[in-house]
Amino acid sequence: SEMAKNQSQFCDGFYELKNSRGMSVEFSSYGALIGKICVLDRKGRSIPVTLSLPKVSDYQRQVFYLGAMMGRYAGRIPEGNFTLGGKNYEIIKNNGRHTLHGGDGFDKRYWEMDTFEHEDGRGVRFEIFSSDGDSGFPGNLRVVVFYKLFNESNKLEIRIQAQCDQDTQINLAQHSYFNLNGIHSKIDNHFFTIGSNCHSETDSELMPLGGWVEFSRQMVNERGNFEYSPNNQIWKEIPFEMDHSFLLNRPCEVNARAWSPLSGIELNVKTTQPTLHFYTGNFLPDGEEYFNGCGISKKSGFCFETMRVPNTKEFKDYPTTVLRKDELFDEITSFEFGIVDSYDSFL
């Protein structure tokens, strides 16, 4: 239709979708990535709410996984190996002696791209095929990602499906960095709530050890959920640097929420995934002229990565990351933006 043509276009190598509520989203087949997302702030101005780069070629020369799809395995694999079905698999090591985000990951590859249109919204479909032995992982794996922007609400839905012809290890996640201020700034002024009171126990290298650690009482609100508030006394004593996998163990209307008092923009996250990894951009670069000029520096963005706890050891109290032969991996996450005048935690 004519309207659909007006609402989507290729620009600077990105495919852009817009809806009737002033939201726009850029996509690229490189890394099946989400580029710039813009929404209206409380004054009706269109502002960017993701950390993004101007050209697709810029994404190829960065190492921060900006906006990309993580695969075959989001998170770290200790020592770059695992045992499955009695057989040991050696995976490409790209994080010292460990594997991070799949070794030679899906974030560095071009995906096949197509578009689709539904009654309530339009979207982009990305597909990638990963052959048996890719980065060391077993099985021929096919992954399809559907990004759908709704017409009448500022909601972006992400559906990830995967199937393999052998038992394999898999952990697929979207790695967008958000900053709801809309200007080059730190995220310490944001308010955050996550529908969980505990995180995965890890060692000093962020490797999961099995088991869950409850947050201290001062970090949990009256509903029993994790909460970060910039004016809470405890965060004046502890640096606010999160790189934690939360167990979403509570039936919540919304699994995670963020809000900027500067713009009035809130982000609500709902997911079918069992855990959410909350990362506050601690390893983003300080003092790097190009990226800092794009508003990308330490703690300038946060990630809500809905996924499994990165764990190939099969601890009994963690959701499994094993995908059985011919089983369908099928998970949905939505990011929905709105405006609120004050932070009223409803989780």
Side-chain angles (χ1 to χ4, degrees):
S1 71
E2 196 57 42
M3 182 184 164
K5 275 187 213 158
N6 294 340
Q7 297 288 298
S8 59
Q9 59 179 344
F10 272 101
C11 187
D12 297 326
F14 296 101
Y15 185 77
E16 186 183 56
L17 285 174
K18 295 180 179 179
N19 71 5
S20 62
R21 302 284 303 277
M23 180 171 171
S24 63
V25 190
E26 292 177 343
F27 303 96
S28 170
S29 57
Y30 179 74
L33 66 81
I34 294 172
K36 185 188 290 183
I37 297 179
C38 289
V39 296
L40 302 183
D41 69 3
R42 65 157 66 88
K43 293 180 176 170
R45 298 171 301 195
S46 177
I47 65 167
V49 289
T50 49
L51 301 188
S52 63
L53 297 169
K55 300 193 294 287
V56 174
S57 57
D58 293 330
Y59 285 91
Q60 295 172 315
R61 66 185 193 90
Q62 54 84 37
V63 294
F64 318 114
Y65 303 95
L66 289 171
M69 276 302 308
M70 302 287 93
R72 281 190 184 196
Y73 200 92
R76 292 168 176 83
I77 296 177
E79 311 295 338
N81 68 71
F82 60 81
T83 301
L84 184 61
K87 188 176 172 187
N88 190 60
Y89 294 92
E90 292 288 333
I91 310 302
I92 288 176
K93 296 173 185 175
N94 62 334
N95 186 231
R97 63 181 202 278
H98 309 300
T99 300
L100 177 64
H101 296 325
D104 177 17
F106 293 167
D107 60 291
K108 302 176 189 73
R109 304 188 197 181
Y110 280 93
W111 296 52
E112 289 178 35
M113 177 182 158
D114 203 354
T115 59
F116 64 87
E117 191 162 347
H118 293 161
E119 228 171 86
D120 58 351
R122 286 165 309 106
V124 182
R125 177 189 187 275
F126 291 110
E127 182 171 337
I128 198 166
F129 176 75
S130 172
S131 58
D132 182 29
D134 186 2
S135 283
F137 289 94
N140 294 298
L141 177 74
R142 189 172 298 282
V143 179
V144 182
V145 178
F146 301 89
Y147 291 118
K148 177 179 173 180
L149 177 62
F150 283 73
N151 295 331
E152 300 300 330
S153 61
N154 280 345
K155 179 161 80 169
L156 179 66
E157 183 182 88
I158 302 159
R159 184 171 199 166
I160 307 173
Q161 296 182 324
Q163 216 159 8
C164 194
D165 64 358
Q166 290 182 45
D167 290 359
T168 195
Q169 289 277 6
I170 196 171
N171 202 9
L172 300 169
Q174 220 293 327
H175 204 284
S176 284
Y177 291 81
F178 298 98
N179 183 325
L180 306 180
N181 293 328
I183 58 168
H184 293 188
S185 58
K186 304 294 185 199
I187 53 160
D188 302 73
N189 71 315
H190 286 46
F191 290 70
F192 296 98
T193 315
I194 297 172
S196 171
N197 68 343
C198 61
H199 64 90
S200 164
E201 188 168 5
T202 58
D203 65 17
S204 60
E205 293 184 287
L206 303 173
M207 301 299 169
L209 297 170
W212 299 94
V213 181
E214 288 197 12
F215 285 101
S216 66
R217 216 156 31 91
Q218 307 100 296
M219 298 182 190
V220 174
N221 65 19
E222 68 281 357
R223 307 209 175 156
N225 296 315
F226 172 86
E227 184 167 276
Y228 168 80
S229 165
N231 43 28
N232 186 339
Q233 186 56 41
I234 191 169
W235 298 110
K236 293 179 174 66
E237 300 159 18
I238 303 169
F240 175 53
E241 291 190 357
M242 305 298 295
D243 201 347
H244 294 70
S245 291
F246 290 70
L247 178 64
L248 298 174
N249 56 352
R250 289 150 190 277
C252 293
E253 188 186 330
V254 176
N255 297 113
R257 185 184 186 209
W259 178 65
S260 161
L262 205 62
S263 66
I265 294 171
E266 66 167 345
L267 167 61
N268 291 323
V269 181
K270 299 179 187 177
T271 188
T272 58
Q273 290 269 28
T275 65
L276 178 144
H277 194 82
F278 182 30
Y279 172 53
T280 51
N282 318 328
F283 300 116
L284 289 172
D286 268 339
E288 212 286 356
E289 193 178 343
Y290 182 78
F291 292 111
N292 296 172
C294 294
I296 296 168
S297 59
K298 184 177 179 179
K299 293 178 70 178
S300 63
F302 68 91
C303 300
F304 278 159
E305 303 162 57
T306 59
M307 55 195 277
R308 311 282 202 272
V309 179
N311 145 55
T312 53
K313 294 277 193 297
E314 289 311 302
F315 300 117
K316 64 180 185 307
D317 52 357
Y318 284 176
T320 184
T321 55
V322 173
L323 181 67
R324 296 294 174 195
K325 177 183 176 180
D326 297 332
E327 182 188 343
L328 180 66
F329 177 100
D330 189 7
E331 302 285 1
I332 298 174
T333 296
S334 67
F335 295 114
E336 185 164 9
F337 299 89
I339 297 292
V340 290
D341 291 326
S342 64
Y343 188 75
D344 174 27
S345 178
F346 56 77
L347 285 181

